[in-house]
């Protein structure tokens, strides 16, 4: 079977540290036979949530932009990957816009009481959060994690099925390539997730 991976590179700086980390993970996944689609969030028309709550009655967003495509892809994917740098102790604005637009799934799940994914797919999806930060503080990723968990939760990816790879102390572009373990950790994560998904999807 082919594992479907949907990945989001959310940094406004192309080919920076978080996107490099993402590329290492995706290359390992492709080497294991996964089908990978990478979306560069700053290069698509993805507008911020308006907070209008129309999705609570329409079961869709009133905005017509790239989310029309991403909506179905997020649901279809076996693995959803979000890669973002940490800016001012949180997700980059481009990543946060994607998280906020997942409000339509929250409305479907909790207001309209409709399924997000078919029951047979629950527990058979994986979410990955990849992040980099310039600071060396232990707590530098703490504020981003609840937003990431919210995104995965509303698209029916369980907390137990979320993987994290977060690398701090990499500030200037290219710094992650000098990190002693980041590339090996990323490749190992990619291989582990594809192996895990093969097992659960075959069950």
């Amino acid at each position: 079977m082919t594992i479907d991976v949907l990945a989001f590179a959310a940094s406004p700086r192309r080919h920076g540290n978080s996107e490099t980390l993402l590329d290492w993970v995706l290359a390992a996944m492709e080497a294991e036979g996964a089908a990978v689609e990478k979306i560069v969030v700053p290069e698509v028309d993805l507008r911020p949530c308006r907070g209008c709550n129309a999705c609570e009655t329409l079961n869709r967003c009133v905005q017509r932009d790239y989310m029309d495509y991403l909506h179905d892809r997020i649901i279809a994917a076996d693995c959803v990957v979000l890669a973002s740098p940490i800016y001012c102790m949180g997700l980059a604005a481009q990543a946060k816009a994607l998280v906020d637009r997942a409000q339509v799934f929250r409305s479907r799940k909790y207001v309209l009481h409709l399924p997000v994914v078919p029951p047979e797919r629950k527990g058979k999806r994986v979410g990955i959060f990849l992040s980099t930060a310039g600071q060396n503080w232990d707590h530098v990723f703490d504020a981003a994690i609840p937003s990431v968990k919210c995104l995965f939760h509303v698209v029916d990816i369980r907390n137990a099925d979320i993987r994290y790879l977060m690398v701090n102390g990499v500030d200037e572009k290219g710094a992650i390539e000098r990190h002693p373990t980041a590339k090996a950790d990323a490749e190992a994560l990619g291989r582990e997730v594809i192996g895990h998904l093969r097992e659960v999807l075959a069950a």
Side-chain angles (χ1 to χ4, degrees), residues 120-148:
E120 64 271 16
R121 294 190 63 217
K122 290 189 176 183
K124 296 186 176 183
R125 309 177 77 210
V126 170
I128 300 176
F129 177 52
L130 307 172
S131 191
T132 55
Q135 298 89 346
N136 278 309
W137 307 326
D138 291 339
H139 62 279
V140 71
F141 301 104
D142 290 358
I145 291 173
S147 291
V148 171

Side-chain angles (χ1 to χ4, degrees), residues 68-203:
D68 286 340
Y69 170 73
L70 293 180
H71 176 282
D72 293 344
R73 284 295 292 118
I74 289 170
I75 292 173
D78 299 308
C79 179
V80 179
V81 189
L82 175 61
S84 172
I86 297 298
Y87 284 179
C88 298
M89 304 303 293
L91 294 174
Q94 292 79 5
K96 188 57 166 61
L98 175 66
V99 172
D100 290 349
R101 289 295 297 280
Q103 178 78 352
V104 67
F105 300 113
R106 193 276 320 177
S107 296
R108 180 173 306 162
K109 192 171 186 177
Y110 294 110
V111 179
L112 299 173
H113 305 291
L114 297 170
V116 175
V117 299
E120 64 271 16
R121 294 190 63 217
K122 290 189 176 183
K124 296 186 176 183
R125 309 177 77 210
V126 170
I128 300 176
F129 177 52
L130 307 172
S131 191
T132 55
Q135 298 89 346
N136 278 309
W137 307 326
D138 291 339
H139 62 279
V140 71
F141 301 104
D142 290 358
I145 291 173
S147 291
V148 171
K149 285 186 174 181
C150 180
L151 168 66
F152 290 136
H153 178 73
V154 297
V155 299
D156 281 342
I157 295 174
R158 306 176 304 181
N159 281 344
D161 296 321
I162 304 174
R163 310 288 197 275
Y164 302 90
L165 180 54
M166 300 173 288
V167 181
N168 58 1
V170 287
D171 194 5
E172 73 277 6
K173 188 174 183 178
I176 198 162
E177 296 178 24
R178 299 187 295 276
H179 190 278
T181 65
K183 185 175 184 181
D185 291 344
E187 292 171 342
L189 175 61
R191 290 191 295 268
E192 184 274 324
V193 167
I194 298 305
H196 167 76
L197 282 168
R198 281 216 177 91
E199 287 183 11
V200 297
L201 291 171

